[in-house]
Amino acid sequence: MLLALPAAAHGDGLGGSIGVATDDAYRGVSYSNDQLSPRGEFHGVLGPWFAGVSAEEIRRGLNRGAGAEVIAYIGYQLPITDGWSVQATMRHYDYPGNLFRAQYNYDELELSVGWQQRVVVSAIASPDTYSHDYLGNFGNGRAFAYEVAARQPLPAGLSALAGLGYYDLRHEIGIGYFYGSVGLERRWRSWAVDLRYVDTDGTAKQHFEDDARSRLVLSVFWTF
């Protein structure tokens, strides 16, 4: 999951996407061991309310075998004025079939302020996130993330994308770290192609080693 603008209301109804990414970079750190990550998402919108579920392949755990991450979410978007809106989203992350499912499952609440789906600033809090690093630190507890994401439409159906975030895992592994991405998106009819450069700071690289290295991530989606 890359830094992105919230996929809130595009009009009442049902929709979704099916696609694949060359990596699953969650807040700058690979959850798929540098391997392909198929994914799909389905959502519904009714007025200011939206809800949905997504699933993607990850490789998390001792054996790094392929598994699934399933995210169920529900949210509410309230327009303010002149293109501004506020949004609240509740997410539950689940890892069916994973040996450590009870440990990995967690919840998040995200509050965000956006302008015309071009700039979004978010604060995210979780009461029960589990994390471990490659230095022997691990734990379960409160976690916080702060993000800003931007999209600038360009000619020929292109959009420039950029994002910056900070992930506070002090209650789990004693650190926080910065992550970010820049890239381009091309939409054509029902297809979307997204290429981003993803990176983290030195603290993340020290604690997560190769999983936090800089990388290019290519995603291809069919939307409906």
Side-chain angles (χ1 to χ4, degrees):
M1 184 171 59
L2 300 167
L3 271 179
L5 297 171
H10 295 293
D12 288 1
L14 303 175
S17 64
I18 299 173
V20 63
T22 56
D23 199 345
D24 181 47
Y26 179 75
R27 292 177 184 155
V29 176
S30 175
Y31 269 22
S32 60
N33 197 24
D34 295 322
Q35 300 190 50
L36 290 176
S37 175
R39 63 223 15 231
E41 182 265 346
F42 183 75
H43 65 263
V45 178
L46 182 61
W49 292 94
F50 60 94
V53 61
S54 67
E56 52 201 70
E57 182 180 295
I58 65 168
R59 296 174 181 270
R60 188 178 184 188
L62 295 177
N63 61 6
R64 307 280 280 189
E69 177 182 69
V70 178
I71 307 170
Y73 63 90
I74 184 170
Y76 185 88
Q77 186 179 67
L78 177 65
I80 305 175
T81 182
D82 297 330
W84 290 90
S85 64
V86 295
Q87 180 173 302
T89 307
M90 187 72 186
R91 302 186 189 93
H92 175 71
Y93 293 74
D94 201 297
Y95 301 86
N98 193 298
L99 181 63
F100 302 101
R101 178 183 183 186
Q103 191 173 46
Y104 288 165
N105 289 358
Y106 67 103
D107 300 294
E108 279 187 347
L109 173 64
E110 176 178 351
L111 301 177
S112 60
V113 178
W115 177 71
Q116 294 186 348
Q117 287 295 300
R118 291 196 183 187
V119 179
V120 175
V121 178
S122 302
I124 305 159
S126 168
D128 55 355
T129 290
Y130 172 83
S131 183
H132 70 274
D133 62 16
Y134 296 154
L135 301 179
N137 303 302
F138 63 92
N140 185 291
R142 291 171 293 167
F144 304 91
Y146 311 95
E147 298 182 348
V148 56
R151 177 192 303 270
Q152 175 59 48
L154 301 173
L158 292 169
S159 293
L161 310 171
L164 179 67
Y166 180 79
Y167 201 11
D168 183 349
L169 294 172
R170 287 176 295 173
H171 293 281
E172 291 76 18
I173 58 176
I175 65 159
Y177 68 89
F178 287 95
Y179 55 97
S181 64
V182 293
L184 287 172
E185 180 189 66
R186 174 68 162 89
R187 291 184 179 269
W188 182 75
R189 295 183 180 177
S190 296
W191 291 91
V193 179
D194 183 320
L195 179 64
R196 302 195 201 190
Y197 174 79
V198 181
D199 205 357
T200 62
D201 66 11
T203 298
K205 290 178 173 64
Q206 178 185 6
H207 284 258
F208 300 109
E209 300 179 356
D210 281 349
D211 285 342
R213 65 174 174 79
S214 58
R215 68 194 70 225
L216 284 174
V217 179
L218 175 65
S219 305
V220 180
F221 292 96
W222 176 67
T223 62
F224 57 89

